[in-house]
Amino acid sequence: MIVIGLDYFLPADHRFQAPDLPDYIAKRYEAKYIVPMIVTAISSVYNKTDLKQNSLVAEMIYYGKAYHFTKGILPCTPDEFIIGYSSEEVAACFDNEVLIWSYFVENDLLFETNPFEIRKYTGEAPSTVEISPDAPGRVGRWLGWNIVDDYQFNNNVPLRELMEESDTEKIFKLSGYKPRP
């Protein structure tokens, strides 16, 4: 059973719009985001990522698998509706992929286990100020999606097998991920 609070999906200027919802989240609560949100939620049933691995890369890959699943089920859906970024934010992430990746590597963040540090890169926030005030929030999730995409592409792994893989370090190592220049 899926229950959707349609009161959250009212037009932004509607008088019954939830007043406590931050703007950076409210922009994702439009009708065009409902189906991708539902499919992403359904992905958790199939996503066998072992979150006991308790590292930033494990959480990044968990979300990466969720977004990869959603894109696999809804291949014609633009990325911005899957991850909840504007089309400009998606384009900026790709334009700055080398910078984003460099930040994670240079600061030794991938195997970070401090939940407060992990939240800075995967948690809800208006931006990822540690990288740049212009970097959208949850940029670690976006990077995880790219790692998972590369893993699937470079290893020709079917979606079912990808979702059943619990070893995030294996996915990370075998992804051969490198930012696109």
Side-chain angles (χ1 to χ4, degrees), residues 91-105:
C93 284
F94 279 111
D95 290 345
N96 294 292
E97 187 173 7
V98 171
L99 173 80
I100 294 167
W101 177 247
S102 297
Y103 182 86
F104 280 82
V105 172

Side-chain angles (χ1 to χ4, degrees), residues 22-90:
D23 288 342
Y24 68 92
I25 294 175
K27 71 180 185 179
R28 297 192 311 250
Y29 282 87
E30 296 178 14
K32 56 192 171 194
Y33 290 91
I34 293 176
V35 173
M37 282 183 175
I38 290 170
V39 174
T40 300
I42 290 170
S43 77
S44 66
V45 172
Y46 304 101
N47 194 341
K48 303 302 180 198
T49 300
D50 181 10
L51 291 176
K52 291 179 191 150
Q53 294 176 45
N54 197 30
S55 67
L56 178 56
V57 76
E59 192 157 325
M60 289 166 55
I61 288 173
Y62 173 82
Y63 286 110
K65 286 170 64 176
Y67 297 144
H68 185 87
F69 177 90
T70 303
K71 188 67 173 187
I73 300 299
L74 304 170
C76 297
T77 302
D79 292 354
E80 57 260 28
F81 298 127
I82 294 172
I83 196 163
Y85 288 172
S86 68
S87 55
E88 294 80 18
E89 288 172 324
V90 170

